[in-house]
Amino acid sequence: MKKILIPIDGSEASKKAAEKAVSVGKLIDAELTFITVANLPTEDKYSYFGMTVENAFIANRKNMLKQLIVEEGRMLDILVRNIDTENLRINKKVIVGVPAEEIVKLAAEEKFDFIVIGRRGFSKVERFFVGSVTQKVISASPCPVMVVNV
Ligand SMILES: Nc1ncnc2c1ncn2[C@@H]1O[C@H](COP(=O)(O)OP(=O)(O)OP(=O)(O)O)[C@@H](O)[C@H]1O
Ligand SMILES: [Mg+2]
């Protein structure tokens, strides 16, 4: 059975990618895995020359991350609930880390056949041809990547 990986950041573009992935999935009876990578600035950012600057952010980071994981899980549930996936096999994952790295790592480790990703995400600025996450995924992916334009 073919496996499709669908990275979701909650943006309209990622929703379009999800819808496209589902319609392709129906054609080939694929198993779909929706993944969101939750990310917060690292504590390293607040450590200067070996001295850690104690601040409220560091103290709360763990709690914020925990909350973020719950919220992102909810976001994925709502997204998937709003698409008619018929009887396709669906998985949902929330992973903590650097988005492009985690997406590529999972694609390799779990041998996905292809990735369906949005051309853009939340960024309002049209600086680049594609968003930075998509750009890195295209460059480093072990499998073909389908980029969905909105
Ligand atoms: N944290 C994430 N977890 C899962 N998928 C993501 C994540 N961030 C982005 N994506 C995927 O990558 C697509 C493009 O988003 P990307 O972040 O590359 O563009 P952007 O937000 O417009 O620009 P940038 O983030 O570079 O400022 C999204 O539609 C989504 O499919
Ligand atoms: Mg983005």
Side-chain angles (χ1 to χ4, degrees):
M1 180 183 267
K2 297 286 183 201
K3 292 168 61 168
I4 308 179
L5 184 60
I6 310 137
I8 299 292
D9 62 356
S11 65
E12 195 57 34
S14 71
K15 199 177 129 201
K16 289 277 188 292
E19 285 164 356
K20 189 53 79 177
V22 168
S23 49
V24 172
K26 283 176 185 171
L27 294 176
I28 58 174
D29 194 25
E31 176 184 330
L32 308 184
T33 300
F34 295 88
I35 177 192
T36 295
V37 185
N39 203 357
L40 284 181
T42 66
E43 288 180 20
D44 300 347
K45 230 179 164 169
Y46 300 92
S47 171
Y48 307 103
F49 314 116
M51 274 187 308
T52 300
V53 180
E54 284 301 332
N55 63 16
F57 173 74
I58 292 176
N60 286 319
R61 191 174 186 278
K62 268 209 179 82
N63 279 332
M64 291 197 296
L65 203 50
K66 226 188 259 169
Q67 212 172 315
L68 185 61
I69 292 166
V70 173
E71 297 293 340
E72 297 284 38
R74 243 178 237 154
M75 179 276 288
L76 272 189
D77 286 342
I78 292 170
L79 176 111
V80 173
R81 206 184 305 143
N82 281 300
I83 303 175
D84 180 11
T85 55
E86 289 175 4
N87 48 3
L88 292 180
R89 265 184 69 184
I90 305 288
N91 308 305
K92 287 171 277 179
K93 275 184 207 276
V94 179
I95 292 179
V96 176
V98 179
E101 285 175 14
E102 295 302 327
I103 292 163
V104 167
K105 200 167 89 185
L106 189 74
E109 280 173 4
E110 299 192 8
K111 298 197 167 53
F112 277 87
D113 293 285
F114 58 101
I115 296 174
V116 179
I117 196 166
R119 177 179 170 225
R120 301 194 163 277
F122 277 110
S123 182
K124 296 276 180 283
V125 198
E126 291 246 346
R127 284 165 305 174
F128 302 108
F129 179 53
V130 294
S132 63
V133 173
T134 295
Q135 194 181 349
K136 288 177 202 150
V137 169
I138 292 170
S139 313
S141 174
C143 60
V145 180
M146 178 172 163
V147 179
V148 178
N149 207 347
V150 195

